[in-house]
Amino acid sequence: MSGDGFHVHGPHDHAVEHAAHSNDGFSNNIAVMTAILATVGAAFGYLGGATQNDAALFKNNAAIDKTEAANRWNYYQAKSARQNLAELAMTLPGVDPKRYEADAARYKHDKEDIKKEAEKFEESSKQWNEKSDEAMHKHHQWALATTAEQIAISLAAITLLTRKKWMMGLAYGVAGVGLVLGGLAWLVH
C-alpha cells in the first residue's frame, strides 16, 4: 500500500520481490504459481459476480411478474364484486332481471380471461425464481472455487517464507481443488 511516500509491505510481498530479482528457481516457481493463481482466482471471482448479478436480475423479474399477477387477481376480484352486484340486482323486487343479466354474463366472461392472465404471470414468476435459485447455486460454486484459489495463494506465500516443499505440494493440491471446483461450476447447468 502506498500513498504520499508511505510504503508498507507484508512479509510475503518482500519475499516475492526478492525472488523476482534472484535466480532462485524455487522462489521463481512460487512467484509464477502465485501470479497464475491470482489470474485464475480473478476470473473465477468475475464469473461468480456475474452469476450473482444474474440471480438478482432474475429475482427482480420474478417480483415484477408476481406483482402483475397480484394486480390481475385484484382486477379479478373487482369483476367478481361487480358480477355479484349484478346478480343481486336481478333478485331485487321491482327490477327487470334482464337488464342485469348481460352485465353478470360479461363480468363472468371477463373474469375467465383475467384469471388466465394472472395464472400466466404467476407461472412466469415461478420460472424466474427457479432461474434465480439456479444462478445463486452456480454463484456459490464459483465462490468456492475462488476461495480455494485464494487459499492456495496464501499457502504459496507461506511456502515462499518457509521454503518447505511439502507446503508447496499442499498449495498445488488446494489450487487443483479450486480448478476442479471452477470446472464443475463451468460445466454444471
Side-chain angles (χ1 to χ4, degrees), residues 5 19 23-24 44 61 66 69 119 122 133 148-150 157 171 178:
N23 288 330
D24 180 2
F44 288 175
N61 289 344
K66 191 67 165 177
E119 289 170 344
E122 283 184 340
D133 291 345
E149 295 307 310
Q150 291 170 339

Side-chain angles (χ1 to χ4, degrees), residues 7-88:
H7 198 70
V8 177
H9 280 292
H12 69 283
D13 292 328
H14 178 72
V16 169
E17 284 181 22
H18 180 71
H21 299 299
S22 73
N23 288 330
D24 180 2
F26 181 80
S27 297
N28 288 341
N29 287 340
I30 297 297
V32 169
M33 181 180 99
T34 302
I36 291 169
L37 291 176
T39 302
V40 170
F44 288 175
Y46 170 79
L47 292 166
T51 56
Q52 187 176 31
N53 289 339
D54 287 346
L57 176 65
F58 299 154
K59 190 60 81 173
N60 187 58
N61 289 344
I64 289 169
D65 283 354
K66 191 67 165 177
T67 300
E68 191 58 40
N71 290 342
R72 301 300 167 136
W73 284 119
N74 288 336
Y75 191 43
Y76 179 91
Q77 291 299 325
K79 290 287 185 172
S80 290
R82 290 182 182 139
Q83 178 187 350
N84 290 340
L85 287 173
E87 290 169 351
L88 178 65

Side-chain angles (χ1 to χ4, degrees), residues 52-161:
Q52 187 176 31
N53 289 339
D54 287 346
L57 176 65
F58 299 154
K59 190 60 81 173
N60 187 58
N61 289 344
I64 289 169
D65 283 354
K66 191 67 165 177
T67 300
E68 191 58 40
N71 290 342
R72 301 300 167 136
W73 284 119
N74 288 336
Y75 191 43
Y76 179 91
Q77 291 299 325
K79 290 287 185 172
S80 290
R82 290 182 182 139
Q83 178 187 350
N84 290 340
L85 287 173
E87 290 169 351
L88 178 65
M90 291 180 347
T91 65
L92 294 174
V95 173
D96 180 16
K98 299 255 187 241
R99 177 177 175 209
Y100 295 101
E101 251 180 62
D103 287 342
R106 183 179 45 133
Y107 292 137
K108 183 177 181 181
H109 178 267
D110 289 350
K111 283 180 12 183
E112 292 171 13
D113 292 339
I114 295 167
K115 180 180 177 185
K116 287 177 188 173
E117 290 175 353
E119 289 170 344
K120 179 186 79 164
F121 280 109
E122 283 184 340
E123 180 60 29
S124 177
S125 176
K126 179 182 170 193
Q127 290 172 359
W128 282 119
N129 272 323
E130 289 170 359
K131 284 180 78 169
S132 177
D133 291 345
E134 289 170 12
M136 276 309 290
H137 177 71
K138 189 169 272 297
H139 164 72
H140 290 294
Q141 291 174 313
W142 285 120
L144 286 172
T146 303
T147 301
E149 295 307 310
Q150 291 170 339
I151 291 170
I153 291 169
S154 295
L155 290 172
I158 294 169
T159 301
L160 193 56
L161 294 172

